[in-house]
Amino acid sequence: MFAGRPRRVVCIWFPRLASDRVLRACPVDGPFALTLMQQNTTRLYCLNAAAQGQGLQRGMPYSDARAFCPDLQSQPADTAAEERFQLVLRRWATRYSPWVGLEGHDGLVLDISGVAHLFGGEAGLLADMRQRLMRAGLFAQIGLGDTRGAAWALAHAGEGQAAPGDPLTALGELPVSALRLDEKTVIALQRLGLRTIAALDAAARAPLTRRFGPDLLLRLDQALGRQPEELSPMAEPPHYGVRMTLPEPIGLTDDVMAGTERLLRQLCTKLKAQEAGARELMLTLRRVDQGNQQVELRLAAALRDPDRIISLFERGISGVDAGFGIDQLRLQATRVEPLPVQQISHVSSDRADQVDDLISRIGARIGLENIQRFLPADSHIPERSFIVAPAAYSKPEGGWAAPRPRPLSLFPPEPIAGSGSRPPKRFRWRRMSLSTARATGPERILPEWWLQDDNWRGGLRDYWHVETRQGWRLWLFYTPQNPGWFVQGQFA
Amino acid sequence: MRKGRVHEVCGPSAFGFAAVVAGLAGTRFLWVRESWQGSVLNPVGGGAFFDPAMLLVAQAKDQLDALAVTEEALRDGSMPVVIVELSQPLSLKAGRRLQLAAKAGRSTGLCIIPEGMGSNAAETRWHSTPIYDPKDSTLNCWKLIKNKTGTNGAWNVRWQAASRRLHMVSPAGE
């Protein structure tokens, strides 16, 4: 990155990140631990200093810990919140350097090459960092070295700094466990008598590689700067939100619409730069009395055309209660989908767009999932020969084939009187007496045994297409295993 | 049937009538229904009349929502045919609103109504009954029982699934 200048890397290790995060919100006096279900046992996940002072360790069963230390206070751990907290810390650390990455799940690594002088040198930078972290209630160990491996080693084996260009002086006395090795290798190395990094560096390389594989010496070389190691900063996720604060509150629908349109144009420019389209939008209107009014808009297709979106907002905005006036508008795309730029053909019509708009508009009233389309399904069971899918999240499909005539409307089976395996000559259905003129069938349909379906408890069915002298054309079935006649559908 | 108006159909095979209308139009269409109703349209059976890929179904909570959706879709014009199943009689105001919406969007509306619950605003009202025919099983009798711009009448029609065409049969031929 900076040719000719030594690279300097800081590693911050938070040994008690999880418990510090919880204790920041509600401080506790005395021993405190977070517990997590691991290997079918509730185990200690993270401890505070007081608990460690009582002799408790990470990973010990919670019941044992309670026996050792009866006044232990505990709380279940929330690993997802910790990951979020680590990202927050990462973002905070960009105040020192733009090049910040995550280290494991409880550390950060910063490349501070060429930025230390802004904070009064490396010592000043570390002191500032330490002071701010302490004020935030986070216990941290900070290591500074030429490489990522050296910084990691110094942070985890107590605190320390390695002078530029001379890692071995600072690292030499550290135990081999500071080299990011797995536990088995560390124990094996200690049995061989290689307790420190200096001893490991002095040993012959070839037998070590033969015994432990290339990984051990790669870690050593990375720490000592003989092998390069990359440090990847995380990209900031794009933020799709814009807001506008007004000097005077507004209350008219037209004014709010005009403000929304301005925000929408900004947002759509952002979306266009990322080749994305909004699927769900949230407009938050803050009133003078600090109340919030929210307007949610769900679209049938990803969209970034402000003129089309603004007309869809009309219904939602007209229902807003402005109270004493609105002084802040905030528009956020809560769900975003990729929407690549497409070639506009001169023959394509805008019918599909218009239909999508219509679906969005109707969906705003009755719910987007209540507008459905049918997709073909591979099943002989009449109720399952099609799938009902929300139109906004599916594409129309072809491949509709009916090997035999199927009724136009289906209803839940309605029992009729009748006996025998032939359709009854006369029967009553829906208070009408009908007489069979022609019956086509039977078509035997077996239940799908691999699916549980209560409607098919009656066993297999023989379907008949019955035309009555009165005109009704019905779909009857007979269940031979459980004798009975039912009407299930009507032909056109 | 005139475009840009709302029509009504009742009778035992009203579903068949609606399917034929959709099939003859050959375009996208929207079927609005109330979600509590027991009988559902079977797209596999409907394949004989129209292309099920062209069909969108809107499940409304009650008749008020169903009418609102219908009006919106008619006014928009991107759905040339909108079919709505109604369970209660339509007031004159609601019927007139649908007519205006259909006129604005130049699309055709069709209400499937229970027998004897027509609205005065409808352009035409049809009564469709299936008729038993020893040779064929698609014969229907369509009676025009209300017509704002002409005379009433009755036709016997038969549907040809292969070509999706309607065939008129003379009543004397029975």
Side-chain angles (χ1 to χ4, degrees), chain A residues 354-355 358 361-362 365 370-372 374 385-386 391 400 406-410 437-438 467-468 471-473 490 492, chain B residues 12 15 39-40 42-46 49 52 55-59 65 68-69 72 76 130-134 136-137 139:
Chain A
Q354 233 185 335
V355 171
L358 176 66
R361 221 158 40 228
I362 298 176
R365 181 169 185 120
N370 282 333
I371 302 165
Q372 299 159 341
F374 294 115
S385 54
F386 55 88
W400 293 92
R406 286 281 182 258
L408 185 61
S409 60
L410 284 175
R438 183 172 52 199
E467 292 173 47
T468 61
W472 294 84
R473 290 186 273 266
Q490 190 195 344
Chain B
F15 264 56
S39 74
V40 295
N42 181 12
V44 184
F49 297 93
L55 169 65
L56 282 181
V57 178
Q59 310 265 10
D65 269 358
V69 168
E72 190 81 58
D76 187 68
I131 298 177
Y132 173 64
D133 177 12
D136 182 70
S137 52
L139 189 69

Side-chain angles (χ1 to χ4, degrees), chain A residues 11 28-29 33 37 56 58 66 155 157 201 204 208 234 245 254-255 287 314 322 330 393 415 435 439 467 471 473:
Chain A
C11 179
V28 165
D29 282 334
M37 196 72 173
L56 306 183
R58 274 189 184 212
R66 290 287 302 274
D201 187 44
L208 283 175
M234 288 174 68
T245 313
D254 286 348
D255 295 348
R287 301 195 310 205
E314 261 163 29
R330 184 159 187 276
Y393 303 101
S435 58
E467 292 173 47
R473 290 186 273 266

Side-chain angles (χ1 to χ4, degrees), chain A residues 453-470:
Chain A
D453 193 347
D454 286 344
N455 297 331
W456 283 72
R457 277 282 156 75
L460 56 90
R461 295 177 178 181
D462 287 339
Y463 276 95
W464 293 79
H465 178 187
V466 170
E467 292 173 47
T468 61
R469 222 167 279 288
Q470 286 75 15

Side-chain angles (χ1 to χ4, degrees), chain B residues 3-20:
Chain B
K3 269 186 82 172
R5 305 293 289 176
V6 176
H7 308 265
E8 286 182 348
V9 62
C10 60
S13 62
F15 264 56
F17 184 89
V20 168

Side-chain angles (χ1 to χ4, degrees), chain A residues 352-388:
Chain A
D353 291 353
Q354 233 185 335
V355 171
D356 282 341
D357 282 1
L358 176 66
I359 292 174
S360 306
R361 221 158 40 228
I362 298 176
R365 181 169 185 120
I366 61 170
L368 208 50
E369 57 286 335
N370 282 333
I371 302 165
Q372 299 159 341
R373 71 161 49 101
F374 294 115
L375 301 177
D378 189 12
S379 171
H380 290 292
I381 306 278
E383 301 94 325
R384 269 197 237 115
S385 54
F386 55 88
I387 303 172
V388 178

Side-chain angles (χ1 to χ4, degrees), chain A residues 20-41:
Chain A
D20 280 349
R21 181 186 71 82
V22 175
L23 292 177
R24 253 159 62 90
C26 51
V28 165
D29 282 334
F32 175 83
L34 290 178
T35 59
L36 189 66
M37 196 72 173
Q38 285 168 325
Q39 296 164 355
N40 272 344
T41 323

